Amino acid sequence: MSTTETATEVRPFQIDTPDAELATLRGRISAARWPSNELVDDASQGVQSKMLQELARYWSAEYDFGRLAARLNALPQFKTEIDGLDIHFIHVKSEHEDALPLIITHGWPGSVIEMLEVIGPLTDPTAHGGSAEDAFDLVIPSLPGYGFSDQPTELGWDPSRTARAWGELMSRLGYSRYVAQGGDQGASVTDAMGRQAPDGLIGIHLNLLTSFPTDVGAALFGGLIPAGLFKRVAIAVLASRAAKKDPETLDAVAGLFRRGYIVEMPEHPQTIGYALTDTPVGLAAWMLDHDPDSYAKISNAFLGGQPSGGLTRERIVDNITLYWLTNTATSSARLYWEGFRAIFAAIASGEKPPELKLPVAFTVFPGEIFQAPRSWAEKVYPNLIYFNEAERGGHFAAWEEPELFSEEIRAAFRSVRNGSSS
Amino acid sequence: MSTVEVATEIRPFNIDITEEQIDDLRRRIAATRWPSRELVDDRSQGVQLATLRELARYWTTDYDFRRLEARLNALPHSTTEIDGVEIHFIHVRSAHENALPLIMTHGWPGSVIELLETIGPLTDPTEHGGRAEDAFHVVLPSLPGYGFSGEPTELGWDTGRVASAWAELMRRLGYSRFVAQGGDVGAAVTDAMGRQAPKELVGIHTNLLVTVLAGGPPPAESEAEHAALEAVNTFRTSGSGYYVEQATRPQTIGYALVDSPVGLAAWMLDHDTDSYYKMSGAFVDGEPAGNLTRDNILDNITMYWLTGTGASAARAYWERAQAQARAAAAGQAPPEVSLPVIGFTTFPGEIWRSPRSWVEAGYPNLTYFHEAERGGHFAAWEEPELFSKELRAAFESVR
C-alpha cells in the first residue's frame, strides 16, 4: 500500500454487460471446434468430452445470460482504489448489532460467486438456524486481476500485497475489530494477513493449508528451487524426513503438482492466457479441471445427476461467464506466477516468514485436495484455537455447502468474538 | 503391432484443403480476443503479446494458406495402415544406388514440416556439398495422432509401439537394412527402436538425450555436466508447464488448442527458450534463425490447426508418461542399445547441451558424438545443411 492515498473514495458499483458481448459469447460457444474424445472412460486424461459438450449445450441453449448481473446487482457492490488498483467488493452489513466484521477471500478458479450463498447465513443467522450472536458484517472482495477488480499493470501483486490491501480496505470501511477467512488463493492471502497482523485483525479461519512445516515445504517445493548444492542437500534431508512421517498426505499434496495447471500458470501464465481468452469452451475445461473431487461433482451436475449442494449448473456457468466477460483468465493466472516467485524468494533467502501469533481456526473438508493433519496445522499456527473435520464439502466448501461452511465460521470465531481468545 | 496384417497396401496421398477450412481459420484469427500484455519485458511469463499479435497479423494478411498443401503435395507421400492406425509418410528415394534407407521422426510441436529441408541434402548429396556415397533414401512418417496420420482410437500408442510400427513400415517399403534418426519425441521413438533392435536396423542417431529424462539425476562433476544439469533444472522449474499438462491432462488443454488458432500458436511457440526467441525474432525483427522463417513456422501451426490434432498430439505425452510410470514400477532397466552405429549430436541451442559423458552413460556403445556449431532444439528445421552433415558423418561406418 502506498503511503499517500489520494483516492480513498468508496463508490457504489453495478454491472452493466452490453447485449452484444453476450451474443458474441453465445456465438463462440456454438461455433466451438471439438477435439476427438478422450481414450479413457474416466477423467484420467482430463475433462471428458461428454461433460464439456453438455456444458456447452447448456451454456448456449438454456443458461440465462442475464442472471449473473442480476445476482450481483442485487447485492451492495462497491469499488475503491487501493495501491493503484480499483478493488471490487460486495459489502453486506448485518442487521444485528455487534455483528463481527469478516472479510472472505475467494481463490482460483473461483470468484465472489463462490461466496454468495454464505451471505444469508452469515449476516442473517437467525433466519438460518443460528443465533443473533453469530452475525457477521461481510466484505467479499474480488482479488486483483479477478472479476471486476482491476488487473495489476505492474509486478508485485503477490498474496502479501493483496493482504495489505485488504487491511486497508477494512480500515477504510471503518472496521477496527474484524476477522478474515479464505480457502485456495484466499487462504494464502488470509495467512499473509495473519502474519502482517494489521491493526484491527483479531483472528483468521482457513480451509486450505498453504503454509507448511519446514520439512513438508522442502519436500513439496525443494525440487523447484534454483539453489546451490549445499541447499539442495539440506532440502533433500528435510524432505525425506517428511516423507517418512506422513507419506500419504504428502503424496496427496504432491499430487497437486502432477496437474498441469499448477505448473503452467506459475511458469507461463501469458501463454495459456491466449487460449483461455479466445475460446469459452477451452476456458471452461481449464477451470473445471481443478481437483478430482470438485470435477466429479460438477460433471455429475451436468450429466443428469444431482448437483452436490450449491454446485449447480447455473452457478458453475455464472462463474465461468464472469471470467469470460471480464477477460481475466490471463490476469488471474498471473497470481500463481507472483505467488510462486514469492515462495521461492522466501525459501532462497532462508528467512522464515513472520510467525503468525493471532488466533487461527482451521476446518478440513473431506473432499479437499489433501486432508491437512492437525499436527501440520499446529506446527505452522502455534495459536491454533479451532480445528475441525467437517462432514461434507470439498475444495469449494463455501460454494458447495454454504450452511455447513457458515456453521464452521460461527464456531471458529465464537471465542474470538467474545474476547476469550487472543 | 498385430500379428495378422490385412491392410498392408500403400496408397498415394494428396492433401486437399477446402476454401471453407481456410476461410474459417482466417476468420477465427481475425476475431481473436486478446488478453492484457504480460508484465515483464522477456519470456518469463510466456509468449509475449507483441510476438503473437505480429504472428496473427502475418498469418491472416501475408501468409499464403496454399503453401502448406503445395509443399507437401510436391513430395511423394502416401499412407498405409499399421497396427490399426493410418500412417502418413513422405518417401523420397535417392537417385544414387546403394543409398542408405533412413527413417526420421519428428517431435512435438513439430511435424514432417521440420524435416522437409533436409530431404535435398540427404537424398541428393552431390547437389549439396556431399558425395554420392553419402546418399540416403528418406522416409518421414507423421507420428500417430499428428498431422495427416490417423489418431489412435485406443490406448497404448506409446513410443515403444510407434517404434514397432516404424520397423514394420520400413519392411513394408522393402528395406532390409536401414537406420533411424530423431529429436524430441522422435528421439524417444528412435531410442525405442534401438532397444527393440529389429534385425534390419543397423544404426540410430538422436539429437535429444532422452535417457537423461528417464533416470535419476545425471552426474554434475565436470564443468560441462554442471552446466547441462543447471539447464535441465531451469527447464524443469520454469519451462515445463506444457510438458506436465500434456503428460497429465491432454484432453483438457486439447479443447482450447482445437478451438483457438492463436491459443494453439502460443502453446506451440512456447517450447524452449532458444527456439522461442528465434521464432519470436523471425516475426518481430524479421530476422529468422536459419530456416526458421515465418512461413515455415506458420506451415507447421497451420497443419496442426487444419488437422485438428492439438489434443491427439498432446496424448502422445500422456502415453509416454504412463509407459514410464509402468517401467519405473516394474523396476526393469530397458535393454541396452547395441547396434553398429549409435550416434548423437549436441546442438548448442538445445534445452541442455548433453556432454559426451552423459551420452555414454545412456549409450555405452556410442560410436559417434559431435558438438555442432549452430542449431537448437529444431536442428533439422533450423540448420538443414549442417544437420545433414551430422547424419552423413554419424552413419558413414555402416555403409
Side-chain angles (χ1 to χ4, degrees), chain A residues 28 31 33 36 43-45 47 49 151 224 258 260 267-268 270-271 274 277-279 289 324 327 330 334 337, chain B residues 28 31 33-36 44-45 47 49 151 237 240-241 245 248-249 251-252 255 258-260 270 305 315 318:
Chain A
R28 281 177 183 257
R33 225 172 63 125
S36 53
S44 62
Q45 292 192 332
V47 169
S49 295
Q151 301 187 9
L224 301 173
R258 293 193 288 267
E267 287 184 0
H268 287 172
Q270 193 73 21
T271 299
Y274 296 108
T277 302
D278 193 38
T279 156
D289 205 19
W324 177 267
N327 192 350
T330 310
R334 285 185 199 130
W337 191 92
Chain B
R28 282 171 184 265
R33 221 171 70 120
W34 295 93
S36 52
S44 63
Q45 292 191 334
V47 172
L49 185 64
E151 294 185 16
T237 57
S240 63
E245 178 66 12
T248 61
R249 324 294 296 166
Q251 193 70 20
T252 300
Y255 298 109
V258 170
D259 194 36
S260 166
D270 202 17
W305 176 265
R315 280 182 209 132
W318 188 91

Short mmCIF file of all heavy atoms in Angstrom, two decimals, chain A residues 28 31 33 36 43-45 47 49 151 224 258 260 267-268 270-271 274 277-279 289 324 327 330 334 337, chain B residues 28 31 33-36 44-45 47 49 151 237 240-241 245 248-249 251-252 255 258-260 270 305 315 318:
data_model
loop_
_atom_site.label_atom_id
_atom_site.label_comp_id
_atom_site.label_asym_id
_atom_site.label_seq_id
_atom_site.Cartn_x
_atom_site.Cartn_y
_atom_site.Cartn_z
N ARG A 28 -19.63 -17.80 -29.95
CA ARG A 28 -18.37 -18.54 -29.87
C ARG A 28 -18.58 -19.94 -29.29
O ARG A 28 -17.92 -20.90 -29.72
CB ARG A 28 -17.36 -17.78 -29.01
CG ARG A 28 -16.69 -16.64 -29.74
CD ARG A 28 -15.76 -15.88 -28.80
NE ARG A 28 -15.16 -14.74 -29.45
CZ ARG A 28 -13.89 -14.72 -29.90
NH1 ARG A 28 -13.11 -15.76 -29.73
NH2 ARG A 28 -13.42 -13.65 -30.49
N ALA A 31 -19.98 -22.11 -31.94
CA ALA A 31 -19.05 -22.36 -33.05
C ALA A 31 -17.83 -23.16 -32.61
O ALA A 31 -16.87 -23.31 -33.39
CB ALA A 31 -18.61 -21.03 -33.66
N ARG A 33 -15.00 -25.69 -32.04
CA ARG A 33 -14.47 -26.82 -32.79
C ARG A 33 -13.97 -27.82 -31.75
O ARG A 33 -13.27 -27.44 -30.82
CB ARG A 33 -13.28 -26.33 -33.64
CG ARG A 33 -13.25 -26.81 -35.05
CD ARG A 33 -12.15 -26.11 -35.83
NE ARG A 33 -10.83 -26.42 -35.31
CZ ARG A 33 -9.83 -26.93 -36.05
NH1 ARG A 33 -10.01 -27.18 -37.33
NH2 ARG A 33 -8.65 -27.16 -35.52
N SER A 36 -11.20 -34.88 -30.86
CA SER A 36 -11.71 -36.24 -30.69
C SER A 36 -11.87 -36.54 -29.20
O SER A 36 -11.26 -35.89 -28.36
CB SER A 36 -10.75 -37.24 -31.33
OG SER A 36 -9.43 -37.05 -30.83
N ALA A 43 -11.72 -39.57 -15.86
CA ALA A 43 -11.14 -38.23 -16.04
C ALA A 43 -9.62 -38.26 -16.06
O ALA A 43 -8.98 -37.23 -15.89
CB ALA A 43 -11.64 -37.29 -14.95
N SER A 44 -9.04 -39.43 -16.30
CA SER A 44 -7.57 -39.51 -16.19
C SER A 44 -6.83 -38.83 -17.34
O SER A 44 -5.63 -38.63 -17.24
CB SER A 44 -7.13 -40.98 -16.07
OG SER A 44 -7.50 -41.70 -17.22
N GLN A 45 -7.50 -38.47 -18.43
CA GLN A 45 -6.83 -37.67 -19.46
C GLN A 45 -7.29 -36.21 -19.42
O GLN A 45 -6.91 -35.41 -20.26
CB GLN A 45 -7.08 -38.27 -20.86
CG GLN A 45 -6.38 -39.62 -21.05
CD GLN A 45 -6.37 -40.11 -22.49
OE1 GLN A 45 -7.25 -39.79 -23.28
NE2 GLN A 45 -5.37 -40.91 -22.83
N VAL A 47 -10.61 -33.27 -18.61
CA VAL A 47 -12.05 -33.05 -18.68
C VAL A 47 -12.64 -33.88 -19.82
O VAL A 47 -12.10 -33.89 -20.94
CB VAL A 47 -12.34 -31.55 -18.90
CG1 VAL A 47 -13.79 -31.31 -19.24
CG2 VAL A 47 -11.95 -30.77 -17.64
N SER A 49 -15.11 -35.32 -22.76
CA SER A 49 -15.83 -34.69 -23.88
C SER A 49 -17.33 -34.60 -23.64
O SER A 49 -17.96 -33.57 -23.90
CB SER A 49 -15.61 -35.49 -25.17
OG SER A 49 -14.26 -35.43 -25.53
N GLN A 151 -6.96 -5.19 -13.18
CA GLN A 151 -5.79 -6.05 -13.38
C GLN A 151 -4.54 -5.26 -13.01
O GLN A 151 -4.38 -4.13 -13.45
CB GLN A 151 -5.68 -6.47 -14.84
CG GLN A 151 -6.90 -7.22 -15.35
CD GLN A 151 -6.69 -7.78 -16.75
OE1 GLN A 151 -5.58 -7.76 -17.28
NE2 GLN A 151 -7.77 -8.28 -17.34
N LEU A 224 11.97 -27.48 -6.86
CA LEU A 224 11.68 -26.39 -7.79
C LEU A 224 12.59 -25.20 -7.60
O LEU A 224 12.56 -24.25 -8.36
CB LEU A 224 10.22 -25.91 -7.59
CG LEU A 224 9.13 -26.95 -7.80
CD1 LEU A 224 7.78 -26.38 -7.41
CD2 LEU A 224 9.10 -27.40 -9.25
N ARG A 258 1.14 -32.80 -10.00
CA ARG A 258 1.00 -33.71 -11.13
C ARG A 258 -0.18 -33.29 -11.99
O ARG A 258 -0.68 -34.05 -12.80
CB ARG A 258 0.85 -35.15 -10.62
CG ARG A 258 2.13 -35.67 -9.94
CD ARG A 258 2.10 -37.18 -9.73
NE ARG A 258 1.18 -37.58 -8.68
CZ ARG A 258 1.55 -37.74 -7.39
NH1 ARG A 258 2.80 -37.51 -7.02
NH2 ARG A 258 0.67 -38.12 -6.49
N GLY A 260 -1.24 -30.24 -14.69
CA GLY A 260 -0.55 -29.23 -15.48
C GLY A 260 -0.87 -27.80 -15.09
O GLY A 260 -0.01 -26.93 -15.16
N GLU A 267 4.44 -20.77 -14.22
CA GLU A 267 5.56 -20.59 -15.15
C GLU A 267 5.23 -19.58 -16.23
O GLU A 267 5.90 -18.57 -16.39
CB GLU A 267 5.92 -21.93 -15.80
CG GLU A 267 6.63 -22.89 -14.86
CD GLU A 267 7.07 -24.17 -15.56
OE1 GLU A 267 6.82 -24.31 -16.78
OE2 GLU A 267 7.65 -25.02 -14.89
N HIS A 268 4.20 -19.90 -17.02
CA HIS A 268 3.89 -19.08 -18.19
C HIS A 268 2.41 -18.73 -18.29
O HIS A 268 1.70 -19.22 -19.17
CB HIS A 268 4.36 -19.80 -19.47
CG HIS A 268 5.85 -19.78 -19.63
ND1 HIS A 268 6.52 -20.48 -20.60
CD2 HIS A 268 6.80 -19.12 -18.93
CE1 HIS A 268 7.81 -20.25 -20.49
NE2 HIS A 268 8.02 -19.44 -19.48
N GLN A 270 0.99 -16.17 -19.33
CA GLN A 270 0.63 -15.47 -20.56
C GLN A 270 0.33 -16.46 -21.68
O GLN A 270 -0.62 -16.28 -22.45
CB GLN A 270 1.78 -14.52 -20.97
CG GLN A 270 1.42 -13.52 -22.05
CD GLN A 270 0.51 -12.41 -21.55
OE1 GLN A 270 0.44 -12.15 -20.35
NE2 GLN A 270 -0.19 -11.76 -22.46
N THR A 271 1.13 -17.51 -21.75
CA THR A 271 0.98 -18.48 -22.84
C THR A 271 -0.40 -19.13 -22.80
O THR A 271 -1.11 -19.16 -23.81
CB THR A 271 2.08 -19.55 -22.75
OG1 THR A 271 3.34 -18.91 -22.87
CG2 THR A 271 1.93 -20.60 -23.84
N TYR A 274 -3.59 -16.81 -23.72
CA TYR A 274 -4.12 -16.52 -25.06
C TYR A 274 -5.27 -17.46 -25.40
O TYR A 274 -6.31 -17.04 -25.90
CB TYR A 274 -3.02 -16.66 -26.12
CG TYR A 274 -1.91 -15.65 -25.96
CD1 TYR A 274 -0.65 -16.03 -25.51
CD2 TYR A 274 -2.13 -14.30 -26.24
CE1 TYR A 274 0.37 -15.11 -25.35
CE2 TYR A 274 -1.12 -13.37 -26.08
CZ TYR A 274 0.13 -13.78 -25.62
OH TYR A 274 1.12 -12.86 -25.46
N THR A 277 -8.45 -16.86 -23.25
CA THR A 277 -9.12 -15.60 -23.57
C THR A 277 -9.90 -15.70 -24.87
O THR A 277 -10.80 -14.90 -25.12
CB THR A 277 -8.05 -14.49 -23.68
OG1 THR A 277 -7.34 -14.43 -22.45
CG2 THR A 277 -8.65 -13.12 -23.96
N ASP A 278 -9.56 -16.67 -25.70
CA ASP A 278 -10.12 -16.72 -27.05
C ASP A 278 -11.16 -17.81 -27.23
O ASP A 278 -11.90 -17.79 -28.21
CB ASP A 278 -8.97 -16.92 -28.06
CG ASP A 278 -9.39 -16.66 -29.50
OD1 ASP A 278 -10.19 -15.71 -29.71
OD2 ASP A 278 -8.93 -17.39 -30.39
N THR A 279 -11.21 -18.79 -26.33
CA THR A 279 -12.18 -19.87 -26.50
C THR A 279 -12.94 -20.14 -25.21
O THR A 279 -12.34 -20.55 -24.22
CB THR A 279 -11.52 -21.18 -27.01
OG1 THR A 279 -12.35 -22.30 -26.63
CG2 THR A 279 -10.14 -21.40 -26.43
N ASP A 289 -11.00 -28.33 -14.38
CA ASP A 289 -10.04 -29.42 -14.16
C ASP A 289 -9.21 -29.16 -12.92
O ASP A 289 -8.01 -29.41 -12.91
CB ASP A 289 -9.13 -29.55 -15.39
CG ASP A 289 -8.56 -30.95 -15.52
OD1 ASP A 289 -9.13 -31.88 -14.91
OD2 ASP A 289 -7.56 -31.12 -16.24
N TRP A 324 -15.09 -14.99 -18.35
CA TRP A 324 -15.09 -14.65 -19.77
C TRP A 324 -15.36 -13.16 -19.98
O TRP A 324 -14.62 -12.47 -20.67
CB TRP A 324 -16.13 -15.49 -20.54
CG TRP A 324 -16.16 -15.08 -21.98
CD1 TRP A 324 -16.97 -14.16 -22.56
CD2 TRP A 324 -15.27 -15.53 -23.00
NE1 TRP A 324 -16.65 -14.00 -23.87
CE2 TRP A 324 -15.61 -14.83 -24.19
CE3 TRP A 324 -14.22 -16.45 -23.04
CZ2 TRP A 324 -14.93 -15.04 -25.39
CZ3 TRP A 324 -13.55 -16.65 -24.24
CH2 TRP A 324 -13.90 -15.95 -25.39
N ASN A 327 -12.69 -10.87 -19.06
CA ASN A 327 -11.42 -11.14 -19.74
C ASN A 327 -10.26 -11.22 -18.74
O ASN A 327 -9.24 -10.54 -18.87
CB ASN A 327 -11.13 -10.06 -20.80
CG ASN A 327 -9.99 -10.46 -21.73
OD1 ASN A 327 -9.29 -11.45 -21.48
ND2 ASN A 327 -9.78 -9.70 -22.79
N THR A 330 -6.12 -14.53 -18.06
CA THR A 330 -4.67 -14.35 -18.01
C THR A 330 -4.25 -13.65 -16.74
O THR A 330 -3.32 -14.07 -16.04
CB THR A 330 -4.21 -13.54 -19.24
OG1 THR A 330 -4.77 -14.15 -20.41
CG2 THR A 330 -2.70 -13.52 -19.34
N ARG A 334 -1.84 -14.99 -13.53
CA ARG A 334 -0.59 -14.32 -13.11
C ARG A 334 -0.39 -14.34 -11.60
O ARG A 334 0.73 -14.24 -11.12
CB ARG A 334 -0.57 -12.87 -13.61
CG ARG A 334 -0.29 -12.74 -15.08
CD ARG A 334 -0.16 -11.27 -15.51
NE ARG A 334 -0.35 -11.17 -16.95
CZ ARG A 334 -1.18 -10.31 -17.55
NH1 ARG A 334 -1.89 -9.45 -16.84
NH2 ARG A 334 -1.30 -10.31 -18.86
N TRP A 337 1.98 -16.98 -10.79
CA TRP A 337 3.36 -16.56 -11.11
C TRP A 337 3.91 -15.74 -9.95
O TRP A 337 5.00 -15.99 -9.46
CB TRP A 337 3.33 -15.74 -12.41
CG TRP A 337 4.65 -15.45 -13.05
CD1 TRP A 337 5.29 -16.17 -14.00
CD2 TRP A 337 5.47 -14.29 -12.81
NE1 TRP A 337 6.46 -15.56 -14.36
CE2 TRP A 337 6.60 -14.42 -13.66
CE3 TRP A 337 5.38 -13.18 -11.97
CZ2 TRP A 337 7.62 -13.46 -13.68
CZ3 TRP A 337 6.40 -12.23 -12.00
CH2 TRP A 337 7.50 -12.38 -12.85
N ARG B 28 -11.34 -16.88 -37.75
CA ARG B 28 -11.07 -17.06 -36.32
C ARG B 28 -9.86 -16.26 -35.86
O ARG B 28 -9.86 -15.69 -34.76
CB ARG B 28 -10.85 -18.55 -36.00
CG ARG B 28 -12.14 -19.35 -35.92
CD ARG B 28 -11.83 -20.83 -35.83
NE ARG B 28 -13.03 -21.64 -35.83
CZ ARG B 28 -13.65 -22.08 -34.72
NH1 ARG B 28 -13.16 -21.80 -33.54
NH2 ARG B 28 -14.74 -22.80 -34.81
N ALA B 31 -10.82 -12.70 -35.52
CA ALA B 31 -11.76 -12.44 -34.41
C ALA B 31 -11.13 -12.71 -33.04
O ALA B 31 -11.83 -12.72 -32.03
CB ALA B 31 -13.00 -13.31 -34.59
N ARG B 33 -9.78 -12.69 -29.47
CA ARG B 33 -9.91 -11.83 -28.29
C ARG B 33 -8.59 -11.92 -27.54
O ARG B 33 -8.10 -13.01 -27.27
CB ARG B 33 -11.04 -12.36 -27.41
CG ARG B 33 -11.94 -11.31 -26.80
CD ARG B 33 -13.13 -11.96 -26.14
NE ARG B 33 -12.74 -12.69 -24.95
CZ ARG B 33 -13.19 -12.42 -23.72
NH1 ARG B 33 -14.06 -11.45 -23.53
NH2 ARG B 33 -12.81 -13.12 -22.69
N TRP B 34 -8.00 -10.78 -27.22
CA TRP B 34 -6.64 -10.78 -26.67
C TRP B 34 -6.63 -10.49 -25.18
O TRP B 34 -7.43 -9.69 -24.70
CB TRP B 34 -5.79 -9.71 -27.39
CG TRP B 34 -5.60 -10.01 -28.84
CD1 TRP B 34 -6.37 -9.57 -29.87
CD2 TRP B 34 -4.58 -10.83 -29.41
NE1 TRP B 34 -5.89 -10.07 -31.06
CE2 TRP B 34 -4.79 -10.84 -30.82
CE3 TRP B 34 -3.51 -11.55 -28.89
CZ2 TRP B 34 -3.97 -11.55 -31.69
CZ3 TRP B 34 -2.69 -12.26 -29.76
CH2 TRP B 34 -2.92 -12.26 -31.14
N PRO B 35 -5.68 -11.07 -24.47
CA PRO B 35 -5.50 -10.70 -23.05
C PRO B 35 -4.69 -9.41 -22.94
O PRO B 35 -4.18 -8.90 -23.94
CB PRO B 35 -4.71 -11.88 -22.48
CG PRO B 35 -3.91 -12.39 -23.63
CD PRO B 35 -4.74 -12.12 -24.88
N SER B 36 -4.56 -8.91 -21.73
CA SER B 36 -3.67 -7.77 -21.49
C SER B 36 -2.22 -8.22 -21.69
O SER B 36 -1.91 -9.41 -21.65
CB SER B 36 -3.87 -7.23 -20.08
OG SER B 36 -3.76 -8.27 -19.12
N SER B 44 9.68 -14.50 -19.50
CA SER B 44 9.49 -15.17 -18.22
C SER B 44 8.03 -15.36 -17.83
O SER B 44 7.74 -16.15 -16.94
CB SER B 44 10.24 -14.42 -17.11
OG SER B 44 9.72 -13.12 -16.96
N GLN B 45 7.08 -14.68 -18.48
CA GLN B 45 5.67 -15.00 -18.22
C GLN B 45 5.04 -15.77 -19.39
O GLN B 45 3.84 -16.02 -19.38
CB GLN B 45 4.86 -13.73 -17.91
CG GLN B 45 5.26 -13.11 -16.57
CD GLN B 45 4.31 -12.01 -16.09
OE1 GLN B 45 3.64 -11.35 -16.88
NE2 GLN B 45 4.26 -11.81 -14.78
N VAL B 47 4.76 -16.55 -23.81
CA VAL B 47 4.84 -15.92 -25.14
C VAL B 47 4.39 -14.46 -25.04
O VAL B 47 3.34 -14.15 -24.47
CB VAL B 47 3.95 -16.69 -26.13
CG1 VAL B 47 3.84 -15.96 -27.46
CG2 VAL B 47 4.50 -18.10 -26.33
N LEU B 49 3.04 -10.74 -25.96
CA LEU B 49 1.89 -10.26 -26.73
C LEU B 49 2.31 -9.69 -28.09
O LEU B 49 1.67 -9.95 -29.12
CB LEU B 49 1.11 -9.20 -25.93
CG LEU B 49 -0.18 -8.69 -26.56
CD1 LEU B 49 -1.22 -9.79 -26.70
CD2 LEU B 49 -0.77 -7.54 -25.73
N GLU B 151 -5.57 -40.69 -35.93
CA GLU B 151 -5.46 -40.58 -34.48
C GLU B 151 -5.73 -41.96 -33.87
O GLU B 151 -6.70 -42.61 -34.25
CB GLU B 151 -6.51 -39.61 -33.94
CG GLU B 151 -6.29 -38.17 -34.36
CD GLU B 151 -7.29 -37.24 -33.70
OE1 GLU B 151 -7.93 -37.64 -32.70
OE2 GLU B 151 -7.43 -36.10 -34.18
N THR B 237 11.97 -26.12 -13.85
CA THR B 237 11.34 -25.18 -12.93
C THR B 237 10.71 -23.98 -13.62
O THR B 237 9.96 -23.25 -13.00
CB THR B 237 12.37 -24.65 -11.90
OG1 THR B 237 13.45 -24.06 -12.60
CG2 THR B 237 12.88 -25.76 -11.03
N SER B 240 8.46 -26.15 -18.05
CA SER B 240 7.94 -27.50 -18.29
C SER B 240 6.43 -27.59 -18.16
O SER B 240 5.87 -28.68 -18.16
CB SER B 240 8.60 -28.48 -17.32
OG SER B 240 8.25 -28.14 -15.99
N GLY B 241 5.75 -26.44 -18.07
CA GLY B 241 4.30 -26.47 -17.90
C GLY B 241 3.58 -27.22 -19.01
O GLY B 241 2.70 -28.03 -18.76
N GLU B 245 1.32 -30.55 -18.42
CA GLU B 245 -0.09 -30.52 -18.82
C GLU B 245 -0.39 -31.61 -19.85
O GLU B 245 -1.38 -32.32 -19.74
CB GLU B 245 -0.46 -29.14 -19.38
CG GLU B 245 -1.91 -29.02 -19.87
CD GLU B 245 -2.97 -29.13 -18.78
OE1 GLU B 245 -2.61 -29.09 -17.59
OE2 GLU B 245 -4.16 -29.27 -19.12
N THR B 248 -0.26 -35.05 -18.30
CA THR B 248 -1.26 -35.40 -17.28
C THR B 248 -2.70 -35.13 -17.75
O THR B 248 -3.60 -35.87 -17.41
CB THR B 248 -1.03 -34.62 -15.97
OG1 THR B 248 -1.12 -33.21 -16.22
CG2 THR B 248 0.34 -34.94 -15.39
N ARG B 249 -2.93 -34.05 -18.49
CA ARG B 249 -4.30 -33.66 -18.84
C ARG B 249 -4.40 -33.26 -20.32
O ARG B 249 -4.81 -32.13 -20.64
CB ARG B 249 -4.77 -32.47 -17.98
CG ARG B 249 -4.30 -32.46 -16.54
CD ARG B 249 -4.85 -33.57 -15.71
NE ARG B 249 -6.27 -33.53 -15.54
CZ ARG B 249 -6.99 -34.57 -15.07
NH1 ARG B 249 -6.40 -35.70 -14.75
NH2 ARG B 249 -8.29 -34.46 -14.95
N GLN B 251 -6.44 -33.94 -22.65
CA GLN B 251 -7.77 -33.63 -23.16
C GLN B 251 -8.17 -32.20 -22.77
O GLN B 251 -8.74 -31.46 -23.56
CB GLN B 251 -8.79 -34.64 -22.60
CG GLN B 251 -10.13 -34.61 -23.28
CD GLN B 251 -10.08 -35.14 -24.71
OE1 GLN B 251 -9.16 -35.87 -25.09
NE2 GLN B 251 -11.06 -34.77 -25.51
N THR B 252 -7.84 -31.83 -21.53
CA THR B 252 -8.21 -30.50 -21.03
C THR B 252 -7.61 -29.40 -21.90
O THR B 252 -8.33 -28.50 -22.34
CB THR B 252 -7.75 -30.35 -19.57
OG1 THR B 252 -8.38 -31.36 -18.79
CG2 THR B 252 -8.11 -28.97 -19.01
N TYR B 255 -9.06 -29.04 -25.74
CA TYR B 255 -10.24 -28.24 -26.14
C TYR B 255 -9.82 -26.85 -26.60
O TYR B 255 -10.30 -26.33 -27.60
CB TYR B 255 -11.23 -28.12 -24.98
CG TYR B 255 -11.79 -29.44 -24.52
CD1 TYR B 255 -11.43 -30.00 -23.30
CD2 TYR B 255 -12.68 -30.15 -25.32
CE1 TYR B 255 -11.93 -31.23 -22.88
CE2 TYR B 255 -13.18 -31.37 -24.92
CZ TYR B 255 -12.81 -31.91 -23.70
OH TYR B 255 -13.30 -33.12 -23.31
N VAL B 258 -7.82 -26.80 -30.01
CA VAL B 258 -8.58 -27.12 -31.22
C VAL B 258 -9.57 -26.00 -31.56
O VAL B 258 -10.04 -25.89 -32.68
CB VAL B 258 -9.29 -28.49 -31.04
CG1 VAL B 258 -10.29 -28.76 -32.14
CG2 VAL B 258 -8.26 -29.60 -30.97
N ASP B 259 -9.84 -25.13 -30.59
CA ASP B 259 -10.87 -24.09 -30.81
C ASP B 259 -10.28 -22.69 -31.03
O ASP B 259 -11.00 -21.81 -31.47
CB ASP B 259 -11.83 -24.06 -29.62
CG ASP B 259 -13.11 -23.27 -29.91
OD1 ASP B 259 -13.59 -23.33 -31.06
OD2 ASP B 259 -13.62 -22.61 -28.99
N SER B 260 -9.02 -22.50 -30.71
CA SER B 260 -8.43 -21.16 -30.84
C SER B 260 -7.10 -21.22 -31.58
O SER B 260 -6.10 -21.70 -31.05
CB SER B 260 -8.20 -20.56 -29.43
OG SER B 260 -7.35 -19.44 -29.53
N ASP B 270 5.84 -21.91 -27.40
CA ASP B 270 6.41 -21.80 -26.05
C ASP B 270 7.17 -23.06 -25.68
O ASP B 270 7.06 -23.55 -24.57
CB ASP B 270 5.27 -21.56 -25.04
CG ASP B 270 5.79 -20.91 -23.77
OD1 ASP B 270 6.91 -20.37 -23.81
OD2 ASP B 270 5.09 -20.96 -22.76
N TRP B 305 -3.55 -26.96 -36.99
CA TRP B 305 -4.92 -26.44 -36.96
C TRP B 305 -5.83 -27.22 -37.92
O TRP B 305 -6.89 -27.69 -37.55
CB TRP B 305 -4.96 -24.94 -37.31
CG TRP B 305 -6.37 -24.48 -37.36
CD1 TRP B 305 -7.17 -24.38 -38.48
CD2 TRP B 305 -7.20 -24.16 -36.25
NE1 TRP B 305 -8.43 -24.00 -38.12
CE2 TRP B 305 -8.48 -23.86 -36.76
CE3 TRP B 305 -6.99 -24.10 -34.87
CZ2 TRP B 305 -9.55 -23.50 -35.93
CZ3 TRP B 305 -8.05 -23.74 -34.04
CH2 TRP B 305 -9.31 -23.44 -34.58
N ARG B 315 -1.74 -36.20 -26.46
CA ARG B 315 -1.92 -37.52 -25.83
C ARG B 315 -0.65 -38.38 -25.92
O ARG B 315 -0.46 -39.29 -25.12
CB ARG B 315 -3.07 -38.28 -26.50
CG ARG B 315 -4.42 -37.84 -26.02
CD ARG B 315 -5.54 -38.66 -26.68
NE ARG B 315 -6.74 -37.83 -26.74
CZ ARG B 315 -7.50 -37.67 -27.83
NH1 ARG B 315 -7.19 -38.31 -28.96
NH2 ARG B 315 -8.54 -36.89 -27.78
N TRP B 318 1.02 -38.13 -22.74
CA TRP B 318 0.32 -38.90 -21.71
C TRP B 318 0.72 -40.37 -21.81
O TRP B 318 1.04 -41.01 -20.81
CB TRP B 318 -1.19 -38.73 -21.91
CG TRP B 318 -2.06 -39.30 -20.84
CD1 TRP B 318 -2.51 -38.64 -19.72
CD2 TRP B 318 -2.63 -40.62 -20.78
NE1 TRP B 318 -3.32 -39.48 -18.98
CE2 TRP B 318 -3.40 -40.70 -19.60
CE3 TRP B 318 -2.55 -41.74 -21.61
CZ2 TRP B 318 -4.11 -41.85 -19.23
CZ3 TRP B 318 -3.24 -42.89 -21.24
CH2 TRP B 318 -4.01 -42.94 -20.06
#
